Structures are given as structure tokens and as C-alpha cells.
Amino acid sequence: MSIHYLHWATEDEQALSRAQTFDELARVALRVISKIEGDIHMVSGPISTGGVGTVPGNLYVFEKIIEILSKDEGYNIFSQIPFQKKMDSLCQMWQKMNPNEIHCIPILENFYKPLFSSGRIAVVHFIYGWESSFGSRWEHDYCKKNTKIRIEYLPKELSRRALKDNDNIHLYD
């Protein structure tokens, strides 16, 4: 089983496929994290803005770092990767209805905020270059001001390690 679906049940996957709002996605995520024992870790980093400059490249780094932290460090990682396609779709719909908005705020307010406010997330690991991402900056500020979540800053070397098998993606120096 993939690390990204480690604590998922069939009903969670079905609920994810039926979800039509960020609130519904958050309910699925909260149900998944309710099954994780011990300290729960999450990863934050660029996806749609910043990072290595492309969404596929940022997702590649994001996924690999989650896998490294889970396998090599033994952290109980809640991976938001399974939600990504649905979040992208919902953001696209939201942007069509809000053409003057630059950033899809509901993903932050209606998905990430409930997770961070749940009291279940112990640590958020910020990928090197997180400051280049609007969403990661929002997550960082929210966690610092409103929660007791511990913040860890991952070294550039970990991102390089995540990219060791991919010559098509390059870190900005």
C-alpha cells in the first residue's frame, strides 16, 4: 500500500471521489487522521506557486519528501497527495467564479485550517523554498499564530535527495 493511502479505508476513497466542496474534503481528511496513532506529521511546500516552478515538479518533490520522512524517519505522515486532483478541480471551478482572485483561498480556509485546528497535527515540515509559495506562507503563519503545531524547516539537501532520480526538475539556488 502506498504511504499516501496508509490509513485509508474504502469508504474514505469513496467519500473523496464523491466530495464536491473543500469542506467535504476536509471531513474526509479529518476521518483519515482520526485513525493515525501518535504524533501526526504533515508536509507543507510549494505546489501551485513557487518551488521548482511547475506544478508537476513541485508535486514530485512533495511526494518524494513525504515518502522519505515516512520511510527513513519513521514519521506518521498524513499525506494530502490523495486530495490533490480533487483540490485542483475545485480550485479551477472557484477561479472561474472568482476571476479577479489570484489565489484559491478556500483550499486554505476550508481544507487546511480545519486540519491544523483539529489538534491532531503535531508537526508541519516545510520544504526548502516554502517561502516562494503563497499557500505555504499562509499555512506557516496560521500554524504559528493559531496552533501549538511544531514547525520544522527541511534542508535543501532533502529536496536534492528527493530529486536524485529525476534529471528534469531542478532546484532554484
Side-chain angles (χ1 to χ4, degrees), residues 6-168:
L6 192 56
H7 301 279
W8 286 68
T10 302
E11 57 267 17
D12 301 322
E13 292 181 44
Q14 292 169 344
L16 173 61
S17 68
R18 288 190 309 266
Q20 296 182 13
T21 67
F22 289 107
D23 293 321
E24 290 173 358
L25 291 180
R27 283 194 288 277
V28 174
L30 289 167
R31 188 168 58 231
V32 171
I33 67 172
S34 74
K35 301 174 201 172
I36 303 173
E37 294 182 14
D39 286 346
I40 299 172
H41 296 240
M42 280 183 68
V43 172
S44 176
I47 294 179
S48 61
T49 61
V52 299
T54 68
V55 172
N58 286 335
L59 281 172
Y60 184 87
V61 171
F62 209 98
E63 286 182 45
K64 293 296 181 185
I65 286 179
I66 288 171
E67 292 165 10
I68 290 168
L69 292 176
S70 179
K71 289 178 184 172
D72 295 357
E73 302 298 327
Y75 295 147
N76 289 320
I77 301 277
F78 168 74
S79 174
Q80 56 270 57
I81 295 299
F83 296 89
Q84 195 58 44
K85 284 183 183 173
K86 189 65 85 150
M87 288 192 287
D88 289 346
S89 173
L90 290 173
C91 275
Q92 287 174 11
M93 291 183 343
W94 183 86
Q95 299 256 231
K96 285 179 184 173
M97 295 178 356
N98 300 278
N100 296 326
E101 297 295 326
I102 296 171
H103 303 289
C104 183
I105 301 300
I107 199 171
L108 302 169
E109 290 285 339
N110 298 52
F111 182 78
Y112 286 104
K113 185 178 180 179
L115 295 181
F116 295 145
S117 299
S118 71
R120 296 282 295 133
I121 308 301
V123 182
V124 177
H125 301 271
F126 284 84
I127 293 173
Y128 173 80
W130 67 271
E131 304 94 328
S132 65
S133 163
F134 174 83
S136 292
R137 290 191 314 266
W138 184 95
E139 292 173 13
H140 183 270
D141 292 347
Y142 185 82
C143 288
K144 253 193 137 95
K145 293 176 185 171
N146 300 296
T147 73
K148 294 180 180 177
I149 295 172
R150 193 171 83 238
I151 293 174
E152 300 271 330
Y153 303 101
L154 299 174
K156 184 177 190 176
E157 186 52 43
L158 189 60
S159 294
R160 279 200 179 106
R161 185 171 157 209
L163 290 170
K164 74 176 171 52
D165 295 328
N166 190 323
D167 295 332
N168 298 321

